[in-house]
Amino acid sequence: MLWAVALFLITAFILKHWLSSKSFNLPPGPRGLPLIGHFHLLGRLPHISLQQLSKRYGPLFHLRLGSVPVFVVSSPEMAKEFLKNHDTEFAYRPRNNAVSIVMDCRSMSFSPYGDYWKKLRKLCATEIFTAKRVSMNTQIIRDELWELSGELLRASKAGQVVGVRPHLRALSFNVMTRILMKKTYFGSKASGDPAIAKEASNFIAMIDEILEVGAAFSITDYFPYLSWLDLVARRAKVAGDKMNGFLQKVLDEQRPGEVPDFVEITRSHIGNDAGNLRALLMDLLLGGSETSSTVTEWALAELLHHPDWMVKAQQEIESVVGRTRMVEEGDISKLEVLNAIIKESFRLHPPIALLVPHASIEAQKVAGYDIPKNATLLVNVYAIGRDPQVWSDPLEFQPQRFIGSNIGVSGQDFELLPFGSGKRSCPGLALGLRNVQLVLSNLLHGFEWEFPGSPKDQPMGEAMGIVNFMAHTLKARITPRLHESAYTTLQLTE
Ligand code: HEM
């Protein structure tokens, strides 16, 4: 009897699905399983599973994850179709239960396209990420680089092998917390105080947990009727409470007259609601920290595997900067090789491989296909970066492809979209890019880098998560290239 009921339900489900897909002109896609749809086709690294599927089903294909229709874009032309020609229609975000819990539904990254989101984006464009502020913030990046150079000089004198990621991560976190909260959690300024050191390690653990929870499979998003089984939601509640408590303490600690600029400006735009302030702080902290350090680590790893490009970059920097000072903001536009290396690293290792998922709340017709309402859109920028129809020798690290080329990373060229494109593209592009350019150029100018052992001991695999980390943190032996006085030119002089 049970078998008969089960068979009836499955047949009814398949028939309903088949009939509904017949009445729509859907893009191609693989056959799904009852109830779960295509979850079984997604491996540990979904952008790679989806890249493989695009080889079979083309530049736009569709899947079903539980009850959610998902459309996957894997070519520059299709990316342009959705992110430019249908930008507004796909400027929404799909439901993300974990993020809603952590940020109390007020995050900029996951807010629906509407008045509140527009207010936040306007605040970013007119106040937080203006050219003047990015230039002021560049001073903070340089000061943190000064701190990092000191650590690297000490490590090189002691003959230590350096694990690169913790240093880059600490730098990026300090840059963001100094900009947003006027606080420094890592390095010599913080390590003297055990209370700050403890706060810093709690802070990093919280960020890791939130990134993990954000990337985890939350059953509520795909099977809303099973939300009572959602363990991720419970973890999200614990992580969100901790992070919100931490940020509230930061806000409370500011005495009148000592309020950080960022909070002051934000209050004047979106009001004094503590929940809104905390959500924006968290959004910018999460968005701004891991992305820049991740791509810098990938770039360094590629250069260690391609020492001819390391030498080319160092020679170019030396010809522009000389040997008596470190690289400054004004030098960057003259460093063609460096910028080509950064673009090539973004092409092969975009930090957010599928962008943040987009969604449309209404049914749409795009490129002749029917896209139903509440569909999720994934743009596989990783697959576009490695497509042989777009790039020659796509798996090779060949920065020369960008020398003399007009292709940029700002979202106008759909073959290279590390920051996305259109309305939902990254508001922190200028700051994030400046961070990567300054950090990478100064690390190359200031130090010789080599693998501690054979290059084969440093695999280039990827770890699972929202941000596309190296699976094995980069390890290197470094030696200073310049006289010690040159490093002091990074110091803040105000
Ligand atoms: C190398 C550095 C960075 C990379 C590669 C990067 C990449 C991205 C990408 C791919 C998106 C999603 C675009 C889309 O959905 O179409 C995004 C969104 C976002 N990024 Fe960045 N980002 C970086 C740095 C930053 C920085 C420094 C900040 C802030 C301080 C930031 C804050 C945000 C926010 C708030 C969003 C959500 C925007 C929205 O939904 O309206 N990012 N970023």
Side-chain angles (χ1 to χ4, degrees):
M1 178 63 184
L2 258 179
W3 275 108
V5 174
L7 196 68
F8 172 75
L9 284 176
I10 291 171
T11 315
F13 181 87
I14 293 172
L15 207 63
K16 179 173 170 274
H17 188 62
W18 184 75
L19 283 174
S20 63
S21 57
K22 284 286 138 192
S23 53
F24 278 117
N25 179 24
L26 291 173
R31 198 180 285 270
L33 296 176
L35 301 176
I36 64 163
H38 299 92
F39 265 118
H40 61 295
L41 299 181
L42 298 186
R44 202 177 61 83
L45 298 168
H47 55 284
I48 296 182
S49 312
L50 296 175
Q51 180 200 24
Q52 295 310 322
L53 287 171
S54 75
K55 287 182 187 160
R56 179 136 186 230
Y57 296 101
L60 177 65
F61 63 93
H62 92 277
L63 301 172
R64 189 173 45 77
L65 300 180
S67 59
V68 180
V70 177
F71 293 78
V72 185
V73 159
S74 316
S75 78
E77 295 74 23
M78 276 298 171
K80 186 170 177 186
E81 193 61 31
F82 281 89
L83 299 179
K84 185 168 182 197
N85 302 344
H86 293 270
D87 185 10
T88 309
E89 296 93 306
F90 287 89
Y92 294 81
R93 298 291 192 202
R95 176 194 174 89
N96 186 318
N97 192 43
V99 174
S100 303
I101 293 172
V102 170
M103 303 207 200
D104 202 13
C105 304
R106 304 176 212 204
S107 123
M108 183 200 313
S109 315
F110 282 87
S111 285
Y113 175 67
D115 287 344
Y116 179 64
W117 172 84
K118 283 184 193 162
K119 219 187 243 186
L120 294 176
R121 291 288 301 211
K122 192 169 165 215
L123 165 70
C124 285
T126 58
E127 301 280 2
I128 303 176
F129 297 119
T130 56
K132 190 169 155 226
R133 268 193 188 272
V134 169
S135 167
M136 276 158 61
N137 294 334
T138 301
Q139 295 298 317
I140 297 182
I141 301 176
R142 287 187 50 182
D143 195 46
E144 287 300 323
L145 266 166
W146 157 239
E147 174 83 29
L148 175 55
S149 315
E151 285 169 19
L152 296 181
L153 285 171
R154 282 190 289 283
S156 67
K157 274 186 195 147
Q160 289 166 0
V161 171
V162 173
V164 176
R165 188 177 310 158
H167 288 289
L168 294 178
R169 232 183 154 201
L171 181 145
S172 285
F173 272 119
N174 274 351
V175 167
M176 292 313 299
T177 55
R178 282 178 70 176
I179 293 173
L180 299 174
M181 318 183 321
K182 295 217 165 141
K183 284 212 155 213
T184 305
Y185 285 103
F186 302 96
S188 64
K189 289 193 195 91
S191 59
D193 182 339
I196 296 188
K198 187 158 186 294
E199 226 176 295
S201 68
N202 285 343
F203 180 54
I204 278 279
M206 276 186 285
I207 298 262
D208 284 343
E209 174 68 0
I210 289 177
L211 286 176
E212 223 179 289
V213 160
F217 164 72
S218 175
I219 204 165
T220 312
D221 292 335
Y222 303 101
F223 305 95
Y225 46 91
L226 295 178
S227 59
W228 51 278
L229 282 175
D230 199 337
L231 296 178
V232 173
R234 287 177 219 171
R235 268 176 73 191
K237 176 86 180 77
V238 175
D241 285 351
K242 268 197 207 159
M243 188 62 154
N244 277 307
F246 169 83
L247 292 176
Q248 191 56 49
K249 200 163 145 261
V250 170
L251 291 175
D252 293 344
E253 271 171 11
Q254 311 295 328
R255 276 177 246 111
E258 286 183 18
V259 181
D261 299 345
F262 167 79
V263 175
E264 189 82 307
I265 293 166
T266 307
R267 277 197 177 122
S268 69
H269 274 72
I270 62 170
N272 212 2
D273 184 307
N276 291 351
L277 279 171
R278 289 195 308 261
L280 185 61
L281 270 177
M282 209 187 302
D283 234 356
L284 298 180
L285 277 174
L286 291 170
S289 311
E290 303 284 13
T291 40
S292 313
S293 54
T294 302
V295 76
T296 308
E297 186 182 24
W298 279 113
L300 272 172
E302 289 288 6
L303 290 174
L304 276 154
H305 279 292
H306 299 88
D308 50 331
W309 281 101
M310 173 99 73
V311 171
K312 272 190 196 132
Q314 286 171 327
Q315 284 172 347
E316 181 192 57
I317 297 171
E318 215 170 297
S319 72
V320 171
V321 175
R323 291 184 63 87
T324 55
R325 66 172 176 89
M326 299 300 278
V327 185
E328 288 166 12
E329 197 184 351
D331 302 318
I332 298 292
S333 62
K334 298 173 205 144
L335 301 176
E336 201 183 13
V337 173
L338 177 95
N339 286 309
I341 287 170
I342 292 174
K343 286 181 194 169
E344 184 68 342
S345 305
F346 273 131
R347 180 184 73 81
L348 282 169
H349 311 288
I352 309 184
L354 294 170
L355 304 182
V356 179
H358 287 234
S360 162
I361 53 169
E362 299 293 343
Q364 307 292 342
K365 189 118 190 151
V366 182
Y369 291 113
D370 291 308
I371 311 292
K373 69 177 184 179
N374 295 327
T376 292
L377 172 74
L378 301 176
V379 180
N380 196 343
V381 292
Y382 175 93
I384 295 175
R386 291 170 180 243
D387 185 345
Q389 291 183 8
V390 181
W391 307 97
S392 57
D393 298 326
L395 302 185
E396 302 298 323
F397 180 78
Q398 292 178 349
Q400 72 267 22
R401 69 176 91 239
F402 289 111
I403 292 184
S405 140
N406 289 329
I407 297 178
V409 293
S410 63
Q412 308 306 311
D413 302 296
F414 289 82
E415 53 274 64
L416 189 66
L417 293 174
F419 294 92
S421 179
K423 291 203 161 54
R424 281 286 184 171
S425 64
C426 178
L429 185 153
L431 179 64
L433 187 58
R434 182 47 44 91
N435 181 325
V436 178
Q437 289 166 326
L438 269 181
V439 174
L440 186 64
S441 60
N442 277 300
L443 291 182
L444 295 176
H445 188 45
F447 300 92
E448 296 293 355
W449 295 76
E450 57 184 356
F451 281 126
S454 156
K456 289 198 197 86
D457 298 337
Q458 180 66 59
M460 296 287 275
E462 295 168 34
M464 197 167 87
I466 291 187
V467 178
N468 201 11
F469 292 115
M470 289 181 72
H472 304 272
T473 173
L474 178 65
K475 292 207 168 55
R477 205 176 279 290
I478 48 174
T479 38
R481 296 183 71 234
L482 307 172
H483 187 268
E484 281 201 21
S485 60
Y487 301 88
T488 61
T489 62
L490 284 169
Q491 233 177 339
L492 264 184
T493 46
E494 24 148 60

